[in-house]
Amino acid sequence: MENNLYLGIDASTQSLTGIVIDINSKDIFSASINFDERLPEYKTRSGVTTGNNNEVWSYPQMWVDALDILFDELSKSVDLSKVKAIGGAGQQHASVWLNSPDVFEKMSTAKKGELSKLLKPYLSKQEAPVWLDASTTQECAEIEEKLGSDYVLQTTGSVQTERFTGSQIRKVFKNNFQVYSQTKRIHLNSSFMCSVLCNRDSPIDYGDASGMNLLNLSTLDWDSKMLAETAPELLEKLPKLSASMKCVGNIGKYFQREYGFSPSAKVVVFTGDNPSSLVGIGASGGGNAVISLGTSDTFFCANKNCSAVAGSHIFGNPRGKFMNLACFRNGSLAREAMKDKLDVDWKFFDLSFENYTPTDSDNLILPYFVDEISPKISSNQITYIGENVANLSKIELLRLFIEGQFFNMKLHSDALKADVKNILLTGGASKSDALAQCIANVFNCNVYLSESSSNASAMGAAMTAGSLDYPIEQLEASFASKKISKIPQQSAVAFYKNKIKKFEQERAKFIK
Ligand code: XUL
């Protein structure tokens, strides 16, 4: 049978990953290039360099070098000439500063392994500020002062945010005017990698453009007021915009020549890693919200509504309309702090919720060990609410704490007006029965464990490539499977419905 291969590339913070899916056999091949290990000459730690004053950056040359290594590696197990289309995703918000977009065409005649050398003189700034950079508080304040925070939120779907590209651009304009004026193109990581791959200056898709505080979500065009208050003459430096999941060209001659890709292999516009994960996990069609239980907890879901809520973000859903993303700083680190405070182990979490039916309507815990961003709460210690709390047992305190974490998340998701029928759970703590059951009961949803979550962004990119020729539903059935973990217990659902109102009232006293 003819091979039907589609490649997805994920340019994440720490590594560059490629996944090839075979539509006929459903086989999956993958390779991942860890920047620190494979490209030690850039001296990154976890793919970045950290400077003073909350500055964090990476290196476009390193990303390009990794592309050669990735294709060398993939070609050991995959006949790359059989790849029909390529999709891609990148860490969101990172900016690549070029003095001429002509560099991409020049890449078509580069010698093998010399893309990054060719790139160097075209970079007006060797470093690319990345999403971990939090150095632009001043610039965010300046833009919001001119336009009002509500205009920024309603127009772009997020309040002016330090890691978003707009405030990063303003900082370069203010602090390094020479670099700013020499720059003719500012790409995101995604559109940059796509341009390298096509050997041609390529657009930014709506999914990733919405992480810049520059895109108007109603018109799906650059917003002239946002641009004007960010930096002068910005429009001509930005790439064109494109709807997501659209073919933007064929793979460039460099990659045809050096890795045997077919000249007819198509390239789909790259997107951000979060929009791509939405596709890869099988949640882009709506109804499924993803909760990732990691260092911070993350909640994301497709949403037909464009409801902007401070503390969460609206990005473009690659399949049209929108997606929400909210990040909760009091995630696994807070669970760990509670574990240590009670002097218990992780097993104790599951034991505490085994055969448990909630009945304590008097007491609550506000679960914020550190300042929370969703919603904005300043706190450095959990808060006990209720007269008897101090006398409760460790089991009872732990339950109140975990319930508090998911009450907080549920209230935030309600504000987004998303239609959530199922929860897909991912991340390190998703194996915990206690957390899964508590989520099922608080959200009144079935909870599933996603089986494609470890590489969801690269998988989403491969599925996006496949979607040029196959219905996305077919690709989801083959490559984004999930298995049921917990179903809601109706007595707990009814109880939590009331208790969450009390939580909301108490929480309101702490919101900034
Ligand atoms: C989202 C964000 C990160 C990056 C890196 O706003 O900053 O998730 O996309 O993965």
Side-chain angles (χ1 to χ4, degrees):
M1 206 191 292
E2 188 203 1
N3 290 54
N4 270 336
L5 303 185
Y6 295 87
L7 166 63
I9 294 173
D10 177 40
S12 81
T13 315
Q14 304 187 15
S15 56
L16 184 75
T17 300
I19 286 191
V20 178
I21 54 174
D22 184 330
I23 307 283
N24 297 330
S25 66
K26 302 194 179 131
D27 285 342
I28 299 173
F29 311 89
S30 68
S32 194
I33 310 305
N34 180 286
F35 297 133
D36 299 359
E37 286 164 17
R38 305 296 292 275
L39 292 156
E41 60 272 33
Y42 291 96
K43 299 190 174 69
T44 57
R45 291 184 67 178
S46 301
V48 298
T49 303
T50 304
N52 298 327
N53 306 320
N54 296 322
E55 287 188 309
V56 184
W57 62 86
S58 189
Y59 304 96
Q61 285 182 280
M62 178 176 80
W63 302 338
V64 167
D65 282 336
L67 206 51
D68 274 310
I69 305 178
L70 178 69
F71 288 149
D72 273 331
E73 206 114 304
L74 274 177
S75 58
K76 290 181 195 153
S77 47
V78 179
D79 179 354
L80 294 176
S81 72
K82 301 224 165 89
V83 170
K84 293 204 160 158
I86 304 163
Q91 55 169 307
Q92 295 197 253
H93 321 299
S95 50
V96 180
W97 296 71
L98 295 165
N99 56 37
S100 165
D102 296 345
V103 61
F104 301 117
E105 306 264 2
K106 296 256 168 21
M107 287 182 172
S108 57
T109 53
K111 290 207 191 94
K112 185 166 183 201
E114 295 199 349
L115 290 180
S116 68
K117 194 167 139 202
L118 191 147
L119 175 65
K120 193 174 168 55
Y122 287 91
L123 288 167
S124 44
K125 188 173 155 54
Q126 300 300 311
E127 306 82 17
V130 299
W131 64 282
L132 294 154
D133 186 296
S135 66
T136 61
T137 310
Q138 174 67 27
E139 286 73 18
C140 288
E142 287 163 6
I143 299 170
E144 288 207 334
E145 201 188 326
K146 283 272 166 44
L147 294 169
S149 57
D150 201 51
Y151 179 85
V152 178
L153 175 64
Q154 298 304 333
T155 305
T156 71
S158 301
V159 296
Q160 195 72 40
T161 306
E162 276 93 344
R163 68 185 190 284
F164 277 37
T165 328
S167 60
Q168 296 288 336
I169 291 174
R170 181 164 179 80
K171 189 176 121 191
V172 175
F173 155 67
K174 276 174 47 188
N175 298 354
N176 214 333
F177 185 69
Q178 207 185 350
V179 167
Y180 185 77
S181 54
Q182 278 165 3
T183 297
K184 296 284 176 296
R185 181 67 77 244
I186 304 172
H187 270 293
L188 292 181
N189 169 299
S190 62
S191 57
F192 169 73
M193 294 303 271
C194 184
S195 304
V196 172
L197 206 63
C198 292
N199 293 167
R200 182 167 122 189
D201 194 38
S202 298
I204 297 184
D205 89 313
Y206 298 145
D208 214 12
S210 41
M212 301 174 80
N213 279 138
L214 297 175
L215 183 77
N216 183 319
L217 291 175
S218 314
T219 61
L220 292 178
D221 205 348
W222 299 120
D223 185 76
S224 53
K225 283 192 187 163
M226 292 302 311
L227 260 54
E229 297 309 333
T230 297
E233 288 156 31
L234 182 51
L235 182 63
E236 61 214 49
K237 300 184 200 286
L238 293 175
K240 299 242 165 339
L241 287 160
S242 163
S244 310
M245 291 184 140
K246 292 267 178 287
C247 175
V248 286
N250 288 22
I251 187 150
K253 289 211 165 61
Y254 174 84
F255 299 99
Q256 296 171 26
R257 197 173 55 246
E258 303 302 342
Y259 299 98
F261 281 99
S262 157
S264 64
K266 297 194 172 79
V267 178
V268 182
V269 64
F270 280 28
T271 189
D273 56 356
N274 292 299
S276 191
S277 294
L278 189 77
V279 176
I281 229 161
S284 56
N288 294 316
V290 182
I291 295 178
S292 168
L293 300 172
T295 312
S296 304
D297 290 342
T298 312
F299 174 96
F300 62 94
C301 62
N303 196 344
K304 292 198 178 70
N305 301 309
C306 188
S307 1
V309 175
S312 73
H313 306 295
I314 304 178
F315 298 139
N317 175 349
R319 283 176 65 190
K321 297 291 179 185
F322 308 101
M323 67 174 283
N324 297 112
L325 180 134
C327 190
F328 302 87
R329 288 189 70 209
N330 287 276
S332 281
L333 281 185
R335 284 185 284 277
E336 190 159 350
M338 193 63 185
K339 172 177 86 67
D340 295 346
K341 191 178 170 69
L342 296 175
D343 193 20
V344 296
D345 58 15
W346 290 119
K347 273 195 216 125
F348 189 80
F349 279 59
D350 283 338
L351 287 177
S352 309
F353 279 81
E354 222 168 59
N355 304 319
Y356 163 61
T357 309
T359 50
D360 179 356
S361 53
D362 297 331
N363 302 306
L364 283 172
I365 289 182
L366 301 182
Y368 312 112
F369 275 104
V370 294
D371 288 353
E372 183 50 68
I373 50 172
S374 304
K376 266 199 170 177
I377 285 174
S378 60
S379 169
N380 58 11
Q381 203 39 258
I382 58 170
T383 306
Y384 298 106
I385 313 278
E387 282 176 20
N388 295 321
V389 186
N391 304 324
L392 294 180
S393 68
K394 287 183 180 185
I395 284 193
E396 288 165 318
L397 288 171
L398 183 67
R399 287 170 179 161
L400 292 180
F401 172 80
I402 297 293
E403 287 165 1
Q405 283 196 311
F406 297 117
F407 286 161
N408 184 64
M409 193 182 277
K410 168 81 166 106
L411 287 168
H412 212 71
S413 82
D414 285 348
L416 301 170
K417 299 193 186 74
D419 169 32
V420 179
K421 296 198 179 74
N422 300 309
I423 304 279
L424 303 181
L425 214 51
T426 77
S430 62
K431 283 170 203 78
S432 158
D433 281 337
L435 302 189
Q437 188 64 62
C438 186
I439 291 172
N441 292 343
V442 170
F443 282 80
N444 189 18
C445 285
N446 287 350
V447 170
Y448 295 84
L449 293 181
S450 156
E451 287 171 338
S452 62
S453 59
S454 57
N455 268 324
S457 177
M459 181 52 92
M463 286 162 62
T464 297
S467 74
L468 291 183
D469 298 325
Y470 295 88
I472 193 86
E473 292 79 8
Q474 179 188 332
L475 300 168
E476 282 182 349
S478 303
F479 299 104
S481 51
K482 55 185 195 293
K483 65 170 195 278
I484 186 83
S485 163
K486 295 284 176 221
I487 58 169
Q489 297 159 314
Q490 285 316 314
S491 59
V493 170
F495 180 84
Y496 285 152
K497 235 184 189 158
N498 282 321
K499 194 163 181 192
I500 200 169
K501 291 182 196 144
K502 188 173 160 111
F503 181 91
E504 188 175 18
Q505 284 164 6
E506 295 297 336
R507 187 185 74 163
K509 298 175 190 162
F510 290 79
I511 294 181
K512 279 199 266 183

